[in-house]
């Protein structure tokens, strides 16, 4: 693999329990550093809209709070990476979800010369994360996510006045299982990166702004 040219761009994996706010933080960092976002969750929700048995299987798996299979995620990654310029940094949200996925994704990035990898882990107490998830909504019309935790007075979508509903995988019955899956499958991936020395840990409690500033500080991106 000596011949593969290393690119200078930085690649980020953003990990954290469900409800940690990793989606919001990853979006902020993506726009700050002009990173391309790999949105596997969005791609899966898109697949569900296409109907058919694939859609049904994916929908059932997500509604149960279980992880969709690794080969499906790797396929989404392949599609995404082959359509991404090598000079552009990427950022994920909630991926990789297991040690197996971490090893495969590391291998994909390494092969492409994307060797500069930083893994950010948003640490939030599970009781706090659960509280936030129960107050998470999405606009039925335009899909804009809205947090009643951070904006308790909101009744309708601030963008299009659409109705606010729970996301498919945010049902109360699903949430508990998602936390179990997180502890059993995702935490080992976090430990894997801690051992490798890629991990940057940030407290995910406090305001969105405060957490983002802390992130920039830890990444040495804040002007002193
Ligand atoms: Zn809307």
């Amino acid at each position: 693999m000596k011949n593969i040219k290393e690119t200078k761009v930085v690649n980020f994996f953003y990990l954290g329990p469900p409800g940690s706010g990793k989606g919001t933080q990853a979006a902020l960092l993506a726009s700050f550093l002009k990173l391309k976002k790999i949105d596997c969750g969005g791609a899966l929700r898109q697949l569900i809209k296409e109907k058919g048995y694939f859609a049904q299987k994916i929908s059932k798996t997500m509604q149960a709070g279980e992880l969709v299979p690794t080969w499906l995620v790797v396929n989404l990654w392949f599609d995404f990476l082959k359509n991404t310029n090598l000079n552009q940094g990427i950022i994920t949200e909630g991926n990789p979800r297991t040690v197996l996925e971490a090893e495969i994704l590391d291998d994909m990035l390494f092969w492409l010369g994307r060797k500069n990898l930083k893994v950010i882990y948003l640490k939030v107490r599970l009781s706090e994360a659960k509280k936030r998830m129960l107050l998470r909504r999405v606009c039925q019309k335009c899909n804009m996510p809205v947090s009643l935790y951070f904006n308790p007075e909101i009744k309708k979508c601030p963008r299009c006045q659409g109705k606010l509903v729970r996301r498919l995988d945010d049902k109360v019955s699903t949430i508990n299982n998602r936390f179990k899956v997180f502890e059993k499958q995702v935490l080992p991936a976090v430990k894997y990166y801690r051992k490798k020395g890629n991990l940057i840990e940030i407290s995910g409690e406090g305001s969105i702004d405060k957490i983002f500033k802390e992130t920039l500080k830890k990444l040495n991106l804040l002007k002193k």
Side-chain angles (χ1 to χ4, degrees):
M1 290 249 238
K2 257 186 229 147
N3 298 328
I4 288 169
K5 209 175 127 206
E6 194 171 331
T7 69
K8 293 276 174 286
V9 293
V10 189
N11 308 281
F12 291 92
F13 292 163
Y14 227 112
L15 302 180
S20 59
K22 58 184 181 295
T24 307
Q25 293 295 326
L28 285 172
L29 193 61
S31 76
F32 189 82
L33 293 176
K34 300 197 171 36
L35 304 164
K36 192 164 167 186
K37 210 172 146 206
I38 303 193
D39 182 10
C40 282
L44 290 171
R45 283 188 277 277
Q46 196 53 46
L47 277 174
I48 290 174
K49 281 189 191 154
E50 289 171 19
K51 304 269 169 20
Y53 62 89
F54 253 90
Q56 274 174 22
K57 280 224 160 212
I58 296 167
S59 165
K60 265 192 188 152
T61 307
M62 285 175 80
Q63 279 188 48
E66 300 287 338
L67 301 179
V68 298
T70 292
W71 56 261
L72 180 54
V73 171
V74 171
N75 264 288
L76 296 176
W77 270 74
F78 173 67
D79 273 345
F80 179 87
L81 286 169
K82 82 177 191 272
N83 293 316
T84 303
N85 191 307
L86 270 185
N87 297 317
Q88 181 160 33
I90 56 166
I91 186 164
T92 71
E93 175 214 314
N95 263 176
R97 311 157 308 164
T98 62
V99 174
L100 174 63
E101 277 183 22
E103 286 170 348
I104 296 172
L105 296 183
D106 285 2
D107 198 44
M108 285 170 107
L109 295 186
F110 193 86
W111 187 78
L112 290 167
R114 292 180 176 274
K115 292 179 185 175
N116 193 348
L117 173 67
K118 292 186 196 297
V119 181
I120 300 177
Y121 176 48
L122 261 190
K123 264 165 90 171
V124 178
R125 276 171 299 151
L126 293 190
S127 57
E128 173 77 12
K130 220 175 253 187
K131 224 187 278 170
R132 289 188 196 174
M133 275 189 77
L134 289 168
L135 291 168
R136 190 154 80 169
R137 300 289 183 276
V138 63
C139 172
Q140 212 170 25
K141 253 196 233 162
C142 76
N143 284 324
M144 179 174 167
V146 173
S147 166
L148 301 181
Y149 179 88
F150 291 108
N151 311 286
E153 71 290 345
I154 288 184
K155 300 269 182 283
K156 279 180 180 170
C157 171
R159 194 196 279 155
C160 78
Q161 302 296 306
K163 198 180 164 198
L164 298 175
V165 295
R166 275 183 205 273
R167 228 170 64 178
L168 181 71
D169 48 353
D170 274 356
K171 289 204 179 111
V172 185
S173 56
T174 307
I175 289 176
N176 286 327
N177 198 37
R178 286 181 69 192
F179 278 100
K180 264 188 221 150
V181 168
F182 174 79
E183 287 187 300
K184 221 173 110 197
Q185 313 216 53
V186 188
L187 269 185
V190 172
K191 282 182 196 148
Y192 162 89
Y193 283 117
R194 189 180 287 130
K195 220 166 144 190
K196 269 185 93 178
N198 297 75
L199 200 71
I200 297 162
E201 300 190 50
I202 289 160
S203 165
E205 297 193 22
S207 73
I208 291 171
D209 197 47
K210 186 192 136 215
I211 298 164
F212 187 56
K213 274 204 184 116
E214 181 66 24
T215 310
L216 295 182
K217 218 200 264 170
K218 287 221 172 159
L219 292 170
N220 291 319
L221 291 169
L222 212 58
K223 279 184 215 140
K224 300 217 164 82

